[in-house]
Amino acid sequence: MRRPLPLATALALVAVASLAGCGRAADPNRLRFMAFSAGPAEDEALRAAIAAYQRVSPVRVELNIVPDYETTLQAALAGGNPPDVFYVNDIRLPDLASAGVLAPIGDQVENPADFHPALRRAFSYQGRFYCPPKDFSTLALAYDERALAAAGVAPPRTWAQLREAARRLTRPGRKGLVMEAQFERWGAFLPGAGGWLTDAGLTRMTANTPQVREGFGFLAGLHRDGLAATPGQLDAGWSGEALARGRAAMAVEGTWLAGAAAKDFPHLRWAAVPVPAGPRGGGTLSFSVCLAVAASSPVRDRALGLVRFLTSPSRMTAFTDRFPVMPSRRSLTARWTARNPRLAGFAAGVDQARSVVFRPGFPEVLDALNDGIQGLAVGDRRLDEVLERVDWAGRPVLAGGAR
Amino acid sequence: MKWARQRPEWLAGWLFAAPAVAGIGLFLLVPVVLAFWASFRDWNGIGPLGESHSVGTANYEALLVSDGLPRSDFAVALRNNLYYVLGVVPLQTALAFGLALVLNQRYPRLRGFFRAAYYFPSVTSSIAISLIFIFLFQTNGIVNAVASGVFGAEPVNWLENADGVLHLGLGALGLDLEQPPTWLTGTTVLGLPLWDWLSGPSVTLLSIMLLAVWTTSGMFMVIFLAGLQNIPEAVEEAAVVDGAGPWRRLWSVTIPMMRPTLALVLTLGVTGTWQVFDQVYAISAGGPQRTTLTPAYLIFRDGFRNFSMGRASAIAFVLLVVIVASTLVSRWLLNRKERA
């Protein structure tokens, strides 16, 4: 090698290398769809749905199931070249909608009034229904049938019955109730006390009120009296595992318990009743995922076509038959409940379900609340102090202060 | 041909360096500059950075000045990580040095085996190691089984235990933890009462610290071993001739001659421990009750989970200042020891 690499060649190489990967020819027959999945069963249901779409549409759908979904989606959005269609968790909706990255297509699918009102609300921001929910889950009180039968305890329907049942089911090596120490479980008991973290218009924090104190106080009392525990205290990764290993007799868990039970602990005989009702009635939490279309997608019409197909009643029926999630359309609920009698406890709470959706910036307030709930569950924080702190943390966020 | 010969040499030099310079610029300098810019903006990390608005120093004020949740979270993260650094760096350095001294004895065959064995954890995925530690530290896990089998200790809940170790120690000395002294609870620094600053690492953070010591000391041992093998045998022999015993040789010959290596290990240790993330992510996600929240995890949580990328960038730069400052302190301590 006598001569160094000619300058022009080197520059050309650098230029080619930096251009590769940038830029994307907008192929109108290609649609990029990013999703996440809870496991092989959901993977398969999703692939079957896409295969069905490919039979009726010439548009080629590139399905990308991503493990670390939230981070990948955020990077794709910030990079300005997001997938055309993607899943959005309800808790992320306010932040994504306020950032203007979602096309408001919720009302452009078939019969949009058919979606459960609570889910419509969860995916609406400032009055616009952004994206149709593909399906949803609720929390219910799942229980070990054999344990309850052996103790002669009927599935509890009210708080008083829940406490009594937990007392009679607790014995050395087993707690009556297992519950994750987070708002996504504890919040299910707030409607029963008539409380919530904010007022309906999201203008004012209402965490530090007698209603919330009553709801959380009930659960903190169960933990304090040794009738309830967190999965971690029972050496379990999550509540379902604690239930399956016989370390707890009851658990507040979501519809996904059905899938996990069928796969990981088929020996468990379990059933579910709605979250027990408090002095102000029943209620539960719902968790949902919608099918969003990117505002910046060059093929928005085709993306909408895929979303319409996937959220149509027939496809939704096919999907929710393969996989234990509930159809987000009211017209399909009765049929689903009839087919899944064991999951009736989850479906029964649909009408009083609330979602954990607030406003942009609110997730960090929930982080602060979760710290407090962890303290209440192990008994080293005082309820008054926790609620005061959440109120204090939430006020600047509701006032629209610094993000 | 004539053109090629006349071309100055510096051009060829730059040309050869160009790929590396472009790589460093693209993947290091540009992101750093962009992040610094973002730390003065209300960027949510979703929309384009250019469309965000300037907020002046509001992100930094939220962390350091304004009373609110961000400052409280940041103070807790600093406290946790400070205890983490103070615990892990001396321990891992001492352990690595001790192992290196032992391995530097006369058995070259065993040396190769043990060097590989101790180095193994540092080339294993930290997430995989963390998952194994979760099993070890369960209430019914091996750690508790050994502790109760050998010492008759009560089983400890390691992984969901927010009790501060120093608080527990003070409690054992008879201090009433329900009623701590008011001068400690009344005085606050960065919105966090002194009493909370003095909690020590929580039991859960302590488990993560043990994990970190075990994982990293192998790597530092290899560095120490290389340093030890650089010490000329003549120096050791001269010390022996002068009648120095093993301890005397260690303190007066080996350690002084290892000072550059020690400085390297301390610097790497301090910068590494201030950025602890993966173990927290895999084991505790900042919990229980924020006691394993670290600045690096807070950056991830605020930036990628709570969409406050501007503030997350600000945390990164405050963390940079903290790392530089504590590295200087550790270097100063080392130099001072030498002069003494």
Side-chain angles (χ1 to χ4, degrees), chain A residues 181-192:
Chain A
Q182 50 176 254
F183 181 67
E184 289 82 352
R185 302 289 177 280
W186 283 48
F189 288 77
L190 289 186

Side-chain angles (χ1 to χ4, degrees), chain A residues 6-20:
Chain A
L7 185 63
T9 317
L11 286 179
L13 277 176
V14 170
V16 168
S18 57
L19 282 179

Side-chain angles (χ1 to χ4, degrees), chain A residues 238 240 243-244 255-268 270 342:
Chain A
W238 66 294
L243 197 64
T255 321
W256 50 82
L257 180 65
K263 181 168 146 284
D264 297 334
F265 16 91
H267 66 277
L268 176 70
W270 68 283
R342 203 210 303 233

